[in-house]
């Protein structure tokens, strides 16, 4: 599959398109919406996208923490493209760019259903489960 991975500028056409994908995959199934204020806080975060032709089919958001770690959040692959290796590809590319930028550790909050996905990518659970958006989550990390 001929895909392209890019880091899209905040408010670019592709970044705005990725919000629709995040909504479809991560929020609508839970009966939730994005608050405009919440999205505005992402102006200084990375928006790493997988494009097929001109369509965003997988995405994540990377937030930089004060302690120097990076937090990968909002990971989503379009339902029609799940299980085809795109989530892994996106993660690999994101980690490569993070390494280029001197980041040594990635942290994330994994929904319980996605824990096996992250374990395959060598992420480790730390601590007890907790609830976010009404779903059981685990903190996970990976040293780069
Ligand atoms: C989790 C998600 C991002 C994975 O993306 P993807 O493009 O489907 O992932 P890949 O195709 O690269 O899968 C990589 C591996 O993880 C496995 N995997 C993916 N999702 C899985 C899941 N929910 N449970 C168990 N294994 C899973 C795949 O089977 C594959 O294993 P393999 O290498 O042995 O074939 C995607 O399924 C998704 O968007 N899910 C809904 C939203 C979500 O839960 N996001 C994560 C929030 S923390």
């Amino acid at each position: 599959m001929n895909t392209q991975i890019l880091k899209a500028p905040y408010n670019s056409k592709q970044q705005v398109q990725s919000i629709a994908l995040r909504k479809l995959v991560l929020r609508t199934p839970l009966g939730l919406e994005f608050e405009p204020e919440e999205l505005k806080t992402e102006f200084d975060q990375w928006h790493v996208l997988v494009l097929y032709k001109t369509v965003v089919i997988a995405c994540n958001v990377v937030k930089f923490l004060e302690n120097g770690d990076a937090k990968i959040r909002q990971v989503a692959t379009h339902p029609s493209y799940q299980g085809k290796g795109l989530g892994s590809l996106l993660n690999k590319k994101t980690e490569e760019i993070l390494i280029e930028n001197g980041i040594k550790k990635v942290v994330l909050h994994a929904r319980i259903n996605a824990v096996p996905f992250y374990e395959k990518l060598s992420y480790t659970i730390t601590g007890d489960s907790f609830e976010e958006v009404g779903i059981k989550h685990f903190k996970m990390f990976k040293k780069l």
Side-chain angles (χ1 to χ4, degrees):
M1 204 174 156
N2 198 4
T3 52
Q4 187 195 350
I5 300 189
L6 61 88
K7 188 152 75 68
Y10 177 74
N11 247 343
S12 62
K13 204 170 107 186
Q14 288 103 339
Q15 191 264 328
V16 171
Q17 206 190 114
S18 72
I19 296 170
L21 176 62
R22 289 162 54 190
K23 191 174 161 192
L24 172 79
V25 176
L26 297 166
R27 293 293 162 111
T28 305
L30 305 178
L32 298 174
E33 292 277 351
F34 282 115
E35 297 296 332
E37 292 310 315
E38 181 186 353
L39 294 171
K40 279 186 198 155
T41 65
E42 297 179 347
F43 73 95
D44 60 351
Q45 299 179 25
W46 285 1
H47 300 268
V48 190
L49 316 179
V50 181
L51 293 186
Y52 177 57
K53 296 181 179 166
T54 56
V55 182
V56 180
I57 55 171
C59 61
N60 68 27
V61 179
V62 183
K63 180 177 179 175
F64 295 90
L65 306 182
E66 283 181 7
N67 66 1
D69 296 344
K71 180 178 179 186
I72 294 184
R73 39 187 302 274
Q74 295 283 302
V75 180
T77 299
H78 189 283
S80 306
Y81 294 93
Q82 287 177 11
K84 297 181 190 301
L86 294 175
S88 310
L89 185 73
L90 176 65
N91 184 266
K92 183 169 175 277
K93 184 67 187 174
T94 303
E95 289 177 1
E96 280 171 15
I97 325 175
L98 287 170
I99 290 167
E100 282 166 22
N101 282 269
I103 301 295
K104 303 247 180 327
K105 186 178 168 191
V106 176
V107 298
L108 53 84
H109 292 179
R111 292 181 181 191
I112 187 161
N113 67 289
V115 166
F117 166 71
Y118 291 114
E119 283 177 335
K120 281 189 178 151
L121 298 171
S122 304
Y123 285 75
T124 304
I125 287 180
T126 172
D128 296 330
S129 67
F130 61 96
E131 204 178 290
E132 227 173 55
V133 291
I135 296 180
K136 192 171 178 178
H137 280 70
F138 286 91
K139 285 188 182 176
M140 300 185 84
F141 73 96
K142 179 176 178 178
K143 296 244 172 86
L144 297 179

